[in-house]
Amino acid sequence: MYDLKFSYNWNKKLDCHAFTAIRRFNPFHHIPGNCVNIILKEEKIGTGKIESVKRMKLQQITSYISYLDTGYSVEQCQNILRKMYPNANWEIQELAFILIVKSKD
């Protein structure tokens, strides 16, 4: 189990039973069936299981993905990710669009 950390509850998604997250792809963590601790501002707010993972590049983010995940436009979502990962090479960096289902703790 690893910590899936959030600094902000984008689009109030962490209040839902299922939600998405966009992260730099990690083949060791981003595997359907893996369990995660859901951490908001250094506080554990629950646990969940990765239901699905879609690999993509920054330029493949659609309005469907950006509004669902962050509540912002594609351009704004991409800018958020650029700030989250300032050292990423966006020509080759893969992202994971992760669907997490909360456990009933």
Side-chain angles (χ1 to χ4, degrees):
M1 188 174 299
Y2 80 101
D3 293 346
L4 186 60
K5 296 181 180 183
F6 296 87
S7 61
Y8 186 75
N9 189 2
W10 300 104
N11 210 20
K12 304 292 184 212
K13 65 186 179 182
L14 300 179
D15 301 337
C16 300
H17 175 64
F19 61 91
T20 60
I22 302 172
R23 296 288 189 270
R24 285 193 292 190
F25 178 70
N26 181 319
F28 302 105
H29 292 297
H30 303 144
I31 301 168
N34 276 6
C35 294
V36 297
N37 291 311
I38 303 163
I39 310 292
L40 177 60
K41 296 181 182 177
E42 305 301 324
E43 182 180 332
K44 182 178 175 181
I45 61 170
T47 59
K49 184 171 81 171
I50 295 175
E51 184 70 24
S52 179
V53 177
K54 176 185 174 161
R55 291 165 64 170
M56 63 184 176
K57 299 279 182 87
L58 186 71
Q59 59 271 23
Q60 292 175 299
I61 293 175
T62 64
S63 60
Y64 184 85
I65 291 169
S66 68
Y67 280 110
L68 181 64
D69 191 74
T70 65
Y72 292 106
S73 71
V74 171
E75 182 179 351
Q76 291 168 311
C77 179
Q78 290 170 335
N79 287 335
I80 289 166
L81 289 164
R82 286 184 184 106
K83 286 179 187 173
M84 281 176 62
Y85 305 115
N87 298 320
N89 177 346
W90 293 110
E91 296 300 315
I92 60 172
Q93 179 65 60
E94 282 193 305
L95 296 169
F97 184 53
I98 309 164
L99 175 61
I100 297 105
V101 178
K102 283 184 182 175
S103 303
K104 296 179 183 175
D105 296 326

